[in-house]
Amino acid sequence: DFATAVAGVTLEVTGEEHLWSHRPAVFVFNHQSNIDMLLLCKLLRRDFVGVAKQEARANPIFGPAFALAGTVFIDRSNPRQAIEALRPAVSALRDGTSLVIAPEGTRSATTRIGPFKKGAFHIAMAAGAPIVPIVFRNTCDALPKHGVVVRGATVEVVVLPPIRTTGWTGDTLDRRVDEIRAQFVETLEG
């Protein structure tokens, strides 16, 4: 709260009740800006941990902070190791800790939604946890992709209803991921 207030960033949230209605959950968000993690902390407040690419661990500022917070780092260069690295994330969910994952895998170069990777959805399915989509509309107004100074802005956030994963199978996973991605696209266009 303090950091966003000092920076002059306010959140205009629709669907805030979905942040609390079904926990633990896998929160998936469209990653547009480096300020996204700060905003997610403000929205989710407690009992969650992030999943990040292995390269984020090397960042001299964020890497140690992410590690201290219990972030699960994934080596995307080796799919077999990535699947093995997801086991702690599934365990965390089963123990009551929610996860936050950007299914695009990295920040978008534009405000358009990129293709979704399946890791977040595999984790949710394995743990039987719901997926809660969080759609950021204009985080780049507060901190552009290569910006270093946060600007005052009102960021629009839409939290969509939780999506149950019980009954999902490997055979239907691609369709489910496409449906959730389509919700992001529709919300951003709306």
Side-chain angles (χ1 to χ4, degrees):
D1 291 335
F2 179 75
T4 54
V6 167
V9 175
T10 58
L11 298 180
E12 201 172 88
V13 183
T14 303
E16 188 169 4
E17 68 276 12
H18 302 308
L19 296 172
W20 304 100
S21 64
H22 291 79
R23 283 199 178 195
V26 175
F27 294 95
V28 293
F29 68 101
N30 57 314
H31 195 8
Q32 296 181 340
S33 167
N34 277 338
I35 200 170
D36 294 347
M37 293 312 297
L38 175 65
L39 301 179
L40 287 162
C41 289
K42 180 177 176 71
L43 289 166
L44 300 175
R45 303 225 171 249
R46 65 179 183 277
D47 303 326
F48 72 93
V49 68
V51 176
K53 59 187 175 182
Q54 181 68 30
E55 297 89 333
R57 187 185 297 239
N59 182 295
I61 297 169
F62 294 113
F66 286 170
L68 186 62
T71 299
V72 177
F73 293 100
I74 305 297
D75 180 358
R76 298 182 304 177
S77 66
N78 185 329
R80 181 175 298 281
Q81 284 181 350
I83 290 168
E84 190 62 33
L86 296 179
R87 288 190 196 280
V90 173
S91 295
L93 277 166
R94 289 184 177 150
D95 291 340
T97 301
S98 293
L99 298 177
V100 178
I101 305 173
E104 294 166 283
T106 191
R107 279 177 291 150
S108 304
T110 68
T111 56
R112 302 178 90 186
I113 297 290
F116 278 9
K117 298 179 183 318
K118 294 183 219 168
F121 308 97
H122 276 291
I123 292 169
M125 188 172 66
I131 293 171
V132 179
I134 299 174
V135 183
F136 289 121
R137 280 205 173 116
N138 58 326
T139 56
C140 289
D141 290 352
L143 185 61
K145 183 166 183 169
H146 297 291
V148 292
V149 177
V150 177
R151 301 182 292 204
T154 298
V155 174
E156 297 174 42
V157 182
V158 178
V159 184
L160 299 173
I163 301 161
R164 296 200 180 279
T165 60
T166 52
W168 284 23
T169 65
D171 294 338
T172 63
L173 188 62
D174 286 341
R175 180 174 52 84
R176 304 284 189 170
V177 171
D178 289 344
E179 290 168 356
I180 293 169
R181 185 183 175 281
Q183 288 184 5
F184 274 85
V185 170
E186 182 181 327
T187 302
L188 282 169
E189 290 175 354

